Amino acid sequence: MLFWTTVRVALQSLYSSGLRSFLAMLGIIIGVGAVISMLAVGAGAQMEVTQKVSNMGTNLLSVRPTRSRSQGAAGAARQNLTLEDAQSLLAIPQIAEVAPIVRDQGQIKYYEQNAPASIIGTAVTYFSTRSLQTERGRIFTEFETEKSMRVVVIGSTLATELFDTTDPLGENIRINGEDFRVIGILKAKGDRDRDNPDQAVIVPYTVAMKKMMGATRIQDIDVRGAENCDMTAIQNDITLMLRKQHNLLPDTDNDFQVFNQAELLETASEVSRTFTVLLGSIAGISMVVGGIGIMNMMLLTVSERTREIGVRKAIGGQNKDILLQFLLESILISCLGGVLGIVFGCGVAVAIENFAGYPTVLEMNSILFALIISTAVGIFFGFYPAWRAAQLDPIEALRWE
Amino acid sequence: MVQLEEIRKTFPMEAGPVYALRGVNLHIKRGEMVAITGSSGSGKTTLMNILGCLSSPDSGTYRLAGEEVSNLSQQQLATIRSRRIGFVFQTFNLLPRLNALQNVELPLLYARATAGAIDRARHALERVGLADRVEHFPNQLSGGQCQRVAIARALVNEPSIILADEPTGAVDSVTSQDIMKLFHSLHAEGRTIIIVTHDQGVAAQCERQIVLKDGTVTIPGKGGNS
């Protein structure tokens, strides 16, 4: 009874000082909004990783050169993997397939049509390590690879962009000035990492290295373990094998890294992690600023209502009644801010998904979490003003004009 | 009902201590209607604060309805106030955001007497003649009506004493008479009423006057002993 009367009075007093309440809430709104959108981005990235891992199977590994830190441009990839390295890995018993990969970017032309695409030069095995299937046509063969034949399998998006209504199969396209015959079109994947096959052309690595890129080194090696293999053991075996291949002394660091699928995708979602950190710090700062805003408003409220506090005490209100009343008021205001913040955060999450292209997932847990956080802020920053109110001397308070 | 013995209260000030009460002896019987008067600086307000259990005396004993209340903690005093004392203030001091009924109900809620609180509050408003104003907010009521609501709030808990501080100080003379009539009728029901005032007209209507001067009772009224 007393509780509901108190809630009602608190709501009325918040309502009657509308703009002031809203301004005091603003920090909480922004803070909770940031928390909600941060968690949504995080959950979205997590979902994407999980989904991909389960799509691709957990027995895929990727070998990449270690990013050099010592040389000028941080993160520039070294090129130290060779076809022989890839070949050597086949000696490891638990490894089922190995696919060497070289990459480039280029313009793809079909008569007057022109589109940018990533060029992937690889072996036949790539299609199985990455679970790529053709929508129409076929993938290239080992024979075609061996003979460096100019055949290409193209991504679905690219096919539409270049060919519109024409049937691409059997047509010649020009990749960085070299003619290739289209033999297959991939099924759409809808990915957006750097090997997005929808916007790629896949050619035999032999052609890619010799004719197009003039490369002797490869960039990645995809490795697929046999069914039910021990991935940790394979990772160790690869490390040992490549150290031997690269003639590394026992005290030198690896010049390559072996990623499993989960690690690989986590690297891919690094950007969304940056988002998370950014939003997290905005959230933290806003919550503190918001809390201070609420505290400020509550101190003002307490001093404005000193006389009311005196009256309440005179007619029998205990210190704890007064404390509870003002604490409830600050909790209400921060919770209201929290609810508005949740709405705001959901909006931000939708915007991130639509404009930045990162998948977001709104979870019930994060909404609960946001409510708990805002309640905690209300209690923490509302306690001091409420305590001050409770400690007022009734005689002094009644005399206050 | 009220029994004060050798009540003293001193306020330390920079210019030296101010002896507000210097040994006040006072008895008020159940059902009496008493006026406490005195010029400003006589200790009137300090005495009222002690009678109303808003503060404690430095020394002396105060027994209210047989219960020693002179050495209680703030929390215990609040409990006494909520059970034993009904305050009526000069400026009504109704809570602006609550309607008449809610204002009257509040002491019951603070006394944790929630069962039937609304009905009791409604009864108290009927008693002061405001049965048709229960939903009105203080700013929708006249001064006299506000004071009636305040009186209803003071008596809703069936307190041992109703303590009124200049209850007619903020209303015109006609309304003032109405309010005094209300006090008389409450007195007639057997309630104990203490009115602190400097209005001689109001004081004269009480059964007896207690006059404070320089922190002591100077003229004991009839029936009092000191």
Side-chain angles (χ1 to χ4, degrees):
Chain A
M1 282 293 257
L2 181 59
F3 178 77
W4 290 115
T5 310
T6 312
V7 170
R8 198 174 49 215
V9 169
L11 281 177
Q12 279 166 349
S13 99
L14 291 186
Y15 180 75
S16 65
S17 50
L19 181 63
R20 199 168 80 184
S21 307
F22 177 75
L23 290 176
M25 267 186 253
L26 210 51
I28 300 289
I29 295 177
I30 293 171
V32 168
V35 167
I36 290 286
S37 46
M38 172 189 80
L39 292 175
V41 168
Q46 190 57 48
M47 180 201 67
E48 203 181 30
V49 167
T50 321
Q51 222 168 40
K52 281 195 182 170
V53 168
S54 66
N55 275 354
M56 298 181 118
T58 48
N59 55 351
L60 185 65
L61 296 174
S62 174
V63 182
R64 293 178 183 179
T66 313
R67 280 166 185 272
S68 62
R69 293 177 199 285
S70 48
Q71 294 152 12
R78 273 185 264 191
Q79 302 251 319
N80 55 18
L81 295 173
T82 62
L83 285 170
E84 288 71 37
D85 289 344
Q87 199 67 37
S88 72
L89 296 180
L90 282 172
I92 298 167
Q94 290 202 81
I95 289 180
E97 280 178 322
V98 170
I101 301 166
V102 288
R103 288 195 188 82
D104 200 359
Q105 295 292 322
Q107 282 296 321
I108 318 297
K109 282 180 90 173
Y110 174 69
Y111 293 106
E112 296 307 308
Q113 296 302 314
N114 213 319
S118 40
I119 304 164
I120 298 169
T122 187
V124 186
T125 43
Y126 183 79
F127 295 94
S128 52
T129 59
R130 296 290 167 116
S131 329
L132 298 177
Q133 286 168 326
T134 49
E135 177 77 45
R136 299 180 50 228
R138 57 172 182 91
I139 62 176
F140 48 78
T141 61
E142 278 181 38
F143 178 78
E144 282 165 329
T145 311
E146 212 171 295
K147 296 289 174 199
S148 303
M149 292 176 76
R150 293 163 189 260
V151 287
V152 62
V153 178
I154 63 175
S156 55
T157 315
L158 197 60
T160 336
E161 279 175 26
L162 285 178
F163 292 96
D164 196 18
T165 54
T166 322
D167 181 5
L169 288 182
E171 295 294 321
N172 278 345
I173 55 173
R174 189 162 277 234
I175 305 174
N176 284 1
E178 302 276 337
D179 280 331
F180 283 80
R181 186 162 55 88
V182 179
I183 56 166
I185 301 145
L186 293 173
K187 277 186 183 159
K189 274 272 216 173
D191 281 4
R192 42 162 202 81
D193 40 352
R194 66 169 177 168
D195 284 343
N196 179 9
D198 295 348
Q199 190 70 38
V201 292
I202 303 175
V203 299
Y205 67 91
T206 43
V207 191
M209 289 172 76
K210 277 181 259 169
K211 298 282 162 49
M212 297 169 66
M213 305 173 194
T216 53
R217 303 294 173 95
I218 55 176
Q219 277 143 2
D220 293 17
I221 305 170
D222 268 10
V223 175
R224 189 168 66 81
E227 288 295 313
N228 303 322
C229 59
D230 179 350
M231 293 309 283
T232 326
I234 293 187
Q235 264 175 295
N236 287 335
D237 289 349
I238 292 174
T239 309
L240 287 175
M241 181 65 82
L242 289 181
R243 285 185 69 88
K244 205 171 83 187
Q245 283 281 328
H246 291 184
N247 295 318
L248 295 181
L249 295 171
D251 57 346
T252 30
D253 291 334
N254 291 343
D255 56 358
F256 58 88
Q257 275 175 288
V258 186
F259 296 93
N260 61 34
Q261 248 335 229
E263 287 165 351
L264 208 59
L265 288 164
E266 266 166 40
T267 331
S269 61
E270 229 167 59
V271 187
S272 65
R273 200 171 315 143
T274 315
F275 251 124
T276 310
V277 170
L278 182 73
L279 290 170
S281 17
I282 293 176
I285 294 166
S286 303
M287 284 311 224
V288 172
V289 172
I292 292 169
I294 285 179
M295 184 157 162
N296 195 23
M297 174 183 166
M298 289 311 297
L299 284 172
L300 201 64
T301 304
V302 167
S303 78
E304 278 174 357
R305 285 157 64 186
T306 300
R307 198 182 177 83
E308 174 191 325
I309 295 164
V311 174
R312 285 176 180 274
K313 286 193 153 194
I315 64 174
Q318 300 272 0
N319 287 4
K320 62 171 194 264
D321 295 326
I322 309 294
L323 183 85
L324 183 75
Q325 183 192 341
F326 284 95
L327 203 52
L328 211 59
E329 229 164 275
S330 71
I331 292 172
L332 273 176
I333 189 170
S334 64
C335 278
L336 196 60
V339 170
L340 293 178
I342 287 168
V343 174
F344 173 63
C346 293
V348 171
V350 169
I352 287 177
E353 175 144 3
N354 288 339
F355 296 112
Y358 292 100
T360 55
V361 175
L362 287 167
E363 284 174 328
M364 200 58 214
N365 277 351
S366 52
I367 288 173
L368 276 179
F369 176 70
L371 281 179
I372 290 170
I373 286 279
S374 36
T375 310
V377 166
I379 293 174
F380 186 81
F381 288 95
F383 190 83
Y384 175 67
W387 180 83
R388 280 244 307 232
Q391 295 305 310
L392 285 174
D393 174 34
I395 298 170
E396 293 292 324
L398 276 170
R399 206 179 288 159
W400 197 85
E401 294 296 332
Chain B
M1 186 58 78
V2 172
Q3 205 168 350
L4 298 185
E5 264 153 37
E6 280 302 312
I7 292 289
R8 290 174 190 278
K9 183 84 178 178
T10 309
F11 296 102
M13 294 295 205
E14 269 177 50
V18 172
Y19 301 97
L21 297 177
R22 328 169 172 226
V24 171
N25 294 292
L26 186 59
H27 286 195
I28 296 168
K29 295 198 188 88
R30 180 184 297 275
E32 267 195 290
M33 182 166 170
V34 176
I36 295 176
T37 60
S39 56
S40 57
S42 61
K44 202 171 47 171
T45 306
T46 308
L47 179 61
M48 188 197 68
N49 287 339
I50 289 173
L51 281 173
C53 290
L54 288 166
S55 72
S56 298
D58 293 339
S59 67
T61 56
Y62 172 18
R63 298 175 77 80
L64 176 62
E67 195 176 348
E68 164 87 52
V69 295
S70 27
N71 283 309
L72 298 181
S73 69
Q74 282 294 328
Q75 191 181 333
Q76 290 166 318
L77 283 177
T79 309
I80 296 291
R81 287 199 294 272
S82 101
R83 283 184 13 228
R84 296 267 178 233
I85 294 161
F87 279 99
V88 177
F89 303 94
Q90 178 174 6
T91 51
F92 328 133
N93 280 339
L94 298 178
L95 300 188
R97 293 187 223 284
L98 300 182
N99 66 26
L101 190 62
Q102 290 162 340
N103 262 290
V104 176
E105 189 192 10
L106 199 56
L108 293 170
L109 301 183
Y110 280 142
R112 306 296 187 268
T114 48
I118 283 285
D119 290 333
R120 287 174 67 185
R122 208 179 290 274
H123 251 91
L125 279 170
E126 278 166 20
R127 177 64 194 83
V128 299
L130 288 177
D132 54 343
R133 293 282 189 278
V134 289
E135 300 291 340
H136 286 57
F137 284 84
N139 59 6
Q140 300 166 320
L141 296 169
S142 70
Q145 286 169 332
C146 280
Q147 196 59 299
R148 282 163 186 275
V149 174
I151 291 169
R153 181 176 68 182
L155 58 85
V156 71
N157 254 352
E158 300 294 334
S160 304
I161 54 172
I162 291 174
L163 190 59
D165 177 19
E166 300 283 4
T168 58
V171 292
D172 60 63
S173 56
V174 178
T175 314
S176 166
Q177 265 319 303
D178 286 348
I179 286 168
M180 284 313 291
K181 257 185 231 159
L182 180 57
F183 276 122
H184 282 303
S185 76
L186 292 173
H187 174 222
E189 288 173 4
R191 293 175 202 270
T192 312
I193 297 165
I194 302 170
I195 299 175
V196 179
T197 183
H198 59 245
D199 182 337
Q200 273 310 311
V202 169
Q205 294 182 40
C206 296
E207 282 179 306
R208 67 177 166 121
Q209 289 186 42
I210 294 162
V211 182
L212 277 182
K213 195 178 177 196
D214 296 333
T216 50
V217 178
T218 52
I219 307 164
K222 50 185 176 176
N225 54 353
S226 63

